[in-house]
Amino acid sequence: MPPADWERAKSLARERAVGLTEMSSDDLLHKVVEKLLGEDRGWRRGMSALVTLATAMDGVAFNERKKVKNAPIDSRRQTTTLDEAAEDDEPHLDYAVELNTPEDYAAAQELFDALEELVAGDQELEDLLTVRMEGLSGPKAAAALGLDQKQFDALRKKLERKLASLQQKGQ
């Protein structure tokens, strides 16, 4: 492969490695070349080297992103290790660091309490808020509440007015 094509391949690898947390662009290119030479990936007859490398890099990058997304531990979170070795030579423990502070939890609890107080006594609004917290909206939420679309819109607007008043109070 001519040096100019190799530089283009490196450029393609940099482009496809954006967002990969576990490998650099050089790692991506090396892995693809290794797979092609090991015949783990096919090379179509008559296909240029750059097109083959680009296609293979797309596939490997996709698989790496999927592997990180489906991993049991979120690699994008900060991790820490214990600095001191255990006396019985046990391995160090790795654990994810919680990024939410106690203040974040307190603020969320205050907001939740304010929402509960806002809709207290109005069963329809309580039900609507519960349905919305479950992730339902639109026709699905209306069906879950047993309302037609017009009744649901009226109830939703009533909740929006109450939320606007809460926002005006500064909470």
Side-chain angles (χ1 to χ4, degrees), residues 81-117:
T81 59
L82 299 175
D83 291 335
E84 301 171 355
E87 292 182 20
D88 55 352
D89 292 331
E90 289 184 19
H92 292 290
L93 299 175
D94 291 339
Y95 57 93
V97 175
E98 182 61 52
L99 298 178
N100 293 327
T101 64
E103 291 82 12
D104 294 334
Y105 287 113
Q109 185 62 46
E110 286 177 19
L111 181 59
F112 185 75
D113 292 342
L115 285 172
E116 277 187 327
E117 184 180 323

Short mmCIF file of all heavy atoms in Angstrom, two decimals, residues 81-117:
data_model
loop_
_atom_site.label_atom_id
_atom_site.label_comp_id
_atom_site.label_asym_id
_atom_site.label_seq_id
_atom_site.Cartn_x
_atom_site.Cartn_y
_atom_site.Cartn_z
N THR A 81 -9.25 3.20 43.16
CA THR A 81 -8.76 1.97 43.76
C THR A 81 -8.26 2.28 45.16
O THR A 81 -7.92 3.42 45.48
CB THR A 81 -7.60 1.36 42.94
OG1 THR A 81 -6.54 2.31 42.87
CG2 THR A 81 -8.06 0.98 41.56
N LEU A 82 -8.21 1.26 45.96
CA LEU A 82 -7.63 1.42 47.29
C LEU A 82 -6.11 1.44 47.14
O LEU A 82 -5.54 0.59 46.46
CB LEU A 82 -8.07 0.27 48.19
CG LEU A 82 -9.58 0.16 48.42
CD1 LEU A 82 -9.88 -1.09 49.22
CD2 LEU A 82 -10.09 1.39 49.13
N ASP A 83 -5.45 2.40 47.76
CA ASP A 83 -4.01 2.52 47.61
C ASP A 83 -3.24 1.52 48.45
O ASP A 83 -2.13 1.13 48.13
CB ASP A 83 -3.55 3.93 47.98
CG ASP A 83 -4.03 4.95 46.96
OD1 ASP A 83 -4.25 4.55 45.80
OD2 ASP A 83 -4.17 6.12 47.31
N GLU A 84 -3.82 1.11 49.55
CA GLU A 84 -3.10 0.22 50.45
C GLU A 84 -3.37 -1.24 50.07
O GLU A 84 -4.50 -1.62 49.84
CB GLU A 84 -3.55 0.47 51.88
CG GLU A 84 -3.32 1.89 52.32
CD GLU A 84 -3.97 2.18 53.66
OE1 GLU A 84 -4.67 1.30 54.18
OE2 GLU A 84 -3.79 3.28 54.15
N ALA A 85 -2.34 -2.02 50.05
CA ALA A 85 -2.50 -3.44 49.76
C ALA A 85 -3.04 -4.13 51.01
O ALA A 85 -2.65 -3.80 52.13
CB ALA A 85 -1.18 -4.06 49.36
N ALA A 86 -3.93 -5.04 50.81
CA ALA A 86 -4.46 -5.80 51.94
C ALA A 86 -3.35 -6.65 52.52
O ALA A 86 -2.45 -7.11 51.80
CB ALA A 86 -5.62 -6.67 51.49
N GLU A 87 -3.41 -6.87 53.81
CA GLU A 87 -2.35 -7.61 54.47
C GLU A 87 -2.27 -9.06 53.99
O GLU A 87 -1.21 -9.66 54.03
CB GLU A 87 -2.53 -7.54 55.97
CG GLU A 87 -2.30 -6.13 56.49
CD GLU A 87 -2.42 -6.04 58.00
OE1 GLU A 87 -2.30 -7.08 58.67
OE2 GLU A 87 -2.63 -4.94 58.47
N ASP A 88 -3.38 -9.62 53.56
CA ASP A 88 -3.36 -11.00 53.10
C ASP A 88 -3.23 -11.06 51.58
O ASP A 88 -3.61 -12.05 50.97
CB ASP A 88 -4.60 -11.75 53.58
CG ASP A 88 -5.88 -11.05 53.16
OD1 ASP A 88 -5.81 -9.92 52.63
OD2 ASP A 88 -6.95 -11.63 53.35
N ASP A 89 -2.71 -10.00 50.97
CA ASP A 89 -2.43 -9.93 49.53
C ASP A 89 -3.66 -10.16 48.66
O ASP A 89 -3.58 -10.76 47.59
CB ASP A 89 -1.33 -10.93 49.13
CG ASP A 89 0.01 -10.51 49.71
OD1 ASP A 89 0.20 -9.29 49.88
OD2 ASP A 89 0.84 -11.40 49.97
N GLU A 90 -4.80 -9.69 49.10
CA GLU A 90 -6.00 -9.74 48.26
C GLU A 90 -5.88 -8.65 47.20
O GLU A 90 -5.23 -7.64 47.41
CB GLU A 90 -7.26 -9.53 49.09
CG GLU A 90 -7.58 -10.70 49.99
CD GLU A 90 -8.89 -10.50 50.72
OE1 GLU A 90 -9.70 -9.67 50.28
OE2 GLU A 90 -9.09 -11.18 51.72
N PRO A 91 -6.50 -8.83 46.04
CA PRO A 91 -6.42 -7.80 45.00
C PRO A 91 -7.13 -6.53 45.43
O PRO A 91 -8.00 -6.54 46.29
CB PRO A 91 -7.12 -8.45 43.81
CG PRO A 91 -7.94 -9.54 44.38
CD PRO A 91 -7.28 -9.98 45.64
N HIS A 92 -6.73 -5.43 44.80
CA HIS A 92 -7.38 -4.14 45.07
C HIS A 92 -8.82 -4.17 44.61
O HIS A 92 -9.16 -4.84 43.63
CB HIS A 92 -6.64 -3.01 44.34
CG HIS A 92 -5.28 -2.76 44.88
ND1 HIS A 92 -5.05 -2.22 46.10
CD2 HIS A 92 -4.05 -3.01 44.33
CE1 HIS A 92 -3.75 -2.11 46.30
NE2 HIS A 92 -3.13 -2.60 45.24
N LEU A 93 -9.65 -3.40 45.26
CA LEU A 93 -11.05 -3.31 44.88
C LEU A 93 -11.25 -2.10 43.99
O LEU A 93 -10.75 -1.02 44.28
CB LEU A 93 -11.94 -3.17 46.12
CG LEU A 93 -11.87 -4.32 47.12
CD1 LEU A 93 -12.70 -3.97 48.35
CD2 LEU A 93 -12.40 -5.58 46.48
N ASP A 94 -11.95 -2.27 42.89
CA ASP A 94 -12.33 -1.17 42.02
C ASP A 94 -13.82 -0.94 42.19
O ASP A 94 -14.59 -1.90 42.23
CB ASP A 94 -12.06 -1.48 40.55
CG ASP A 94 -10.58 -1.55 40.26
OD1 ASP A 94 -9.81 -0.99 41.05
OD2 ASP A 94 -10.21 -2.17 39.25
N TYR A 95 -14.24 0.30 42.30
CA TYR A 95 -15.65 0.59 42.39
C TYR A 95 -15.94 1.92 41.73
O TYR A 95 -15.07 2.78 41.64
CB TYR A 95 -16.13 0.57 43.84
CG TYR A 95 -15.39 1.55 44.76
CD1 TYR A 95 -15.89 2.81 44.98
CD2 TYR A 95 -14.20 1.18 45.37
CE1 TYR A 95 -15.23 3.69 45.80
CE2 TYR A 95 -13.54 2.05 46.20
CZ TYR A 95 -14.06 3.31 46.41
OH TYR A 95 -13.39 4.20 47.21
N ALA A 96 -17.15 2.05 41.26
CA ALA A 96 -17.55 3.30 40.61
C ALA A 96 -17.80 4.36 41.67
O ALA A 96 -18.34 4.08 42.73
CB ALA A 96 -18.81 3.08 39.79
N VAL A 97 -17.40 5.57 41.37
CA VAL A 97 -17.59 6.69 42.28
C VAL A 97 -18.92 7.35 41.94
O VAL A 97 -19.21 7.61 40.77
CB VAL A 97 -16.45 7.72 42.14
CG1 VAL A 97 -16.70 8.93 43.00
CG2 VAL A 97 -15.13 7.06 42.50
N GLU A 98 -19.74 7.57 42.94
CA GLU A 98 -21.04 8.22 42.73
C GLU A 98 -20.79 9.69 42.41
O GLU A 98 -20.13 10.39 43.18
CB GLU A 98 -21.90 8.07 43.99
CG GLU A 98 -23.26 8.67 43.86
CD GLU A 98 -24.07 8.02 42.75
OE1 GLU A 98 -24.18 6.80 42.72
OE2 GLU A 98 -24.58 8.77 41.90
N LEU A 99 -21.29 10.15 41.29
CA LEU A 99 -21.06 11.52 40.86
C LEU A 99 -22.09 12.50 41.42
O LEU A 99 -21.88 13.70 41.41
CB LEU A 99 -21.04 11.60 39.33
CG LEU A 99 -19.93 10.78 38.68
CD1 LEU A 99 -20.02 10.89 37.17
CD2 LEU A 99 -18.56 11.21 39.16
N ASN A 100 -23.22 11.98 41.92
CA ASN A 100 -24.22 12.84 42.53
C ASN A 100 -23.82 13.12 43.96
O ASN A 100 -23.45 12.22 44.71
CB ASN A 100 -25.60 12.19 42.50
CG ASN A 100 -26.13 12.05 41.09
OD1 ASN A 100 -25.86 12.89 40.24
ND2 ASN A 100 -26.87 11.00 40.83
N THR A 101 -23.92 14.38 44.34
CA THR A 101 -23.55 14.77 45.70
C THR A 101 -24.76 14.68 46.61
O THR A 101 -25.90 14.63 46.13
CB THR A 101 -23.02 16.22 45.70
OG1 THR A 101 -24.09 17.09 45.31
CG2 THR A 101 -21.84 16.38 44.75
N PRO A 102 -24.56 14.70 47.91
CA PRO A 102 -25.70 14.73 48.83
C PRO A 102 -26.61 15.94 48.58
O PRO A 102 -27.82 15.85 48.76
CB PRO A 102 -25.04 14.80 50.21
CG PRO A 102 -23.71 14.16 50.02
CD PRO A 102 -23.29 14.53 48.63
N GLU A 103 -26.00 17.04 48.14
CA GLU A 103 -26.81 18.23 47.84
C GLU A 103 -27.74 17.97 46.67
O GLU A 103 -28.87 18.45 46.64
CB GLU A 103 -25.90 19.43 47.55
CG GLU A 103 -25.14 19.95 48.74
CD GLU A 103 -23.87 19.16 49.03
OE1 GLU A 103 -23.45 18.35 48.18
OE2 GLU A 103 -23.31 19.35 50.13
N ASP A 104 -27.26 17.20 45.67
CA ASP A 104 -28.10 16.84 44.53
C ASP A 104 -29.31 16.02 44.98
O ASP A 104 -30.43 16.24 44.55
CB ASP A 104 -27.32 16.04 43.49
CG ASP A 104 -26.23 16.86 42.82
OD1 ASP A 104 -26.35 18.09 42.76
OD2 ASP A 104 -25.24 16.24 42.35
N TYR A 105 -29.06 15.06 45.87
CA TYR A 105 -30.15 14.24 46.38
C TYR A 105 -31.13 15.07 47.20
O TYR A 105 -32.35 14.90 47.12
CB TYR A 105 -29.62 13.06 47.21
CG TYR A 105 -28.98 12.00 46.37
CD1 TYR A 105 -27.62 11.76 46.44
CD2 TYR A 105 -29.73 11.24 45.49
CE1 TYR A 105 -27.02 10.78 45.67
CE2 TYR A 105 -29.15 10.26 44.71
CZ TYR A 105 -27.79 10.03 44.80
OH TYR A 105 -27.21 9.07 44.02
N ALA A 106 -30.60 15.99 48.01
CA ALA A 106 -31.47 16.85 48.82
C ALA A 106 -32.32 17.74 47.93
O ALA A 106 -33.52 17.92 48.19
CB ALA A 106 -30.63 17.69 49.77
N ALA A 107 -31.73 18.31 46.88
CA ALA A 107 -32.48 19.16 45.96
C ALA A 107 -33.56 18.35 45.24
O ALA A 107 -34.70 18.83 45.07
CB ALA A 107 -31.54 19.82 44.95
N ALA A 108 -33.24 17.14 44.84
CA ALA A 108 -34.23 16.29 44.16
C ALA A 108 -35.37 15.94 45.11
O ALA A 108 -36.54 15.95 44.72
CB ALA A 108 -33.57 15.01 43.64
N GLN A 109 -35.05 15.67 46.37
CA GLN A 109 -36.08 15.34 47.35
C GLN A 109 -36.97 16.56 47.61
O GLN A 109 -38.19 16.44 47.73
CB GLN A 109 -35.45 14.85 48.66
CG GLN A 109 -36.46 14.38 49.68
CD GLN A 109 -37.27 13.17 49.20
OE1 GLN A 109 -36.70 12.22 48.67
NE2 GLN A 109 -38.58 13.21 49.34
N GLU A 110 -36.37 17.75 47.69
CA GLU A 110 -37.15 18.98 47.88
C GLU A 110 -38.11 19.19 46.70
O GLU A 110 -39.27 19.56 46.90
CB GLU A 110 -36.22 20.19 48.01
CG GLU A 110 -35.52 20.28 49.34
CD GLU A 110 -34.56 21.45 49.39
OE1 GLU A 110 -34.69 22.40 48.57
OE2 GLU A 110 -33.68 21.43 50.26
N LEU A 111 -37.63 18.97 45.49
CA LEU A 111 -38.46 19.14 44.31
C LEU A 111 -39.60 18.12 44.32
O LEU A 111 -40.75 18.46 44.03
CB LEU A 111 -37.63 19.00 43.04
CG LEU A 111 -38.38 19.16 41.72
CD1 LEU A 111 -39.05 20.52 41.65
CD2 LEU A 111 -37.43 18.97 40.56
N PHE A 112 -39.28 16.88 44.66
CA PHE A 112 -40.30 15.84 44.73
C PHE A 112 -41.35 16.19 45.78
O PHE A 112 -42.56 16.05 45.54
CB PHE A 112 -39.66 14.48 45.03
CG PHE A 112 -40.64 13.34 44.99
CD1 PHE A 112 -41.10 12.86 43.79
CD2 PHE A 112 -41.10 12.78 46.17
CE1 PHE A 112 -42.01 11.81 43.75
CE2 PHE A 112 -42.01 11.74 46.14
CZ PHE A 112 -42.47 11.25 44.93
N ASP A 113 -40.91 16.65 46.95
CA ASP A 113 -41.85 17.05 48.02
C ASP A 113 -42.73 18.21 47.57
O ASP A 113 -43.93 18.24 47.86
CB ASP A 113 -41.09 17.42 49.29
CG ASP A 113 -40.40 16.21 49.93
OD1 ASP A 113 -40.78 15.07 49.60
OD2 ASP A 113 -39.49 16.44 50.75
N ALA A 114 -42.12 19.18 46.85
CA ALA A 114 -42.90 20.32 46.35
C ALA A 114 -43.95 19.86 45.34
O ALA A 114 -45.08 20.35 45.35
CB ALA A 114 -41.97 21.35 45.73
N LEU A 115 -43.59 18.90 44.48
CA LEU A 115 -44.55 18.37 43.52
C LEU A 115 -45.69 17.64 44.22
O LEU A 115 -46.86 17.79 43.86
CB LEU A 115 -43.87 17.42 42.53
CG LEU A 115 -43.02 18.05 41.45
CD1 LEU A 115 -42.26 16.99 40.69
CD2 LEU A 115 -43.87 18.87 40.51
N GLU A 116 -45.35 16.84 45.24
CA GLU A 116 -46.39 16.13 46.00
C GLU A 116 -47.34 17.12 46.67
O GLU A 116 -48.55 16.93 46.65
CB GLU A 116 -45.75 15.24 47.06
CG GLU A 116 -45.30 13.90 46.56
CD GLU A 116 -44.84 13.01 47.70
OE1 GLU A 116 -44.29 13.52 48.71
OE2 GLU A 116 -45.04 11.79 47.59
N GLU A 117 -46.77 18.17 47.25
CA GLU A 117 -47.59 19.18 47.93
C GLU A 117 -48.47 19.92 46.93
O GLU A 117 -49.61 20.26 47.21
CB GLU A 117 -46.67 20.17 48.65
CG GLU A 117 -47.39 21.20 49.47
CD GLU A 117 -46.43 22.14 50.16
OE1 GLU A 117 -45.36 21.70 50.61
OE2 GLU A 117 -46.76 23.34 50.24
#
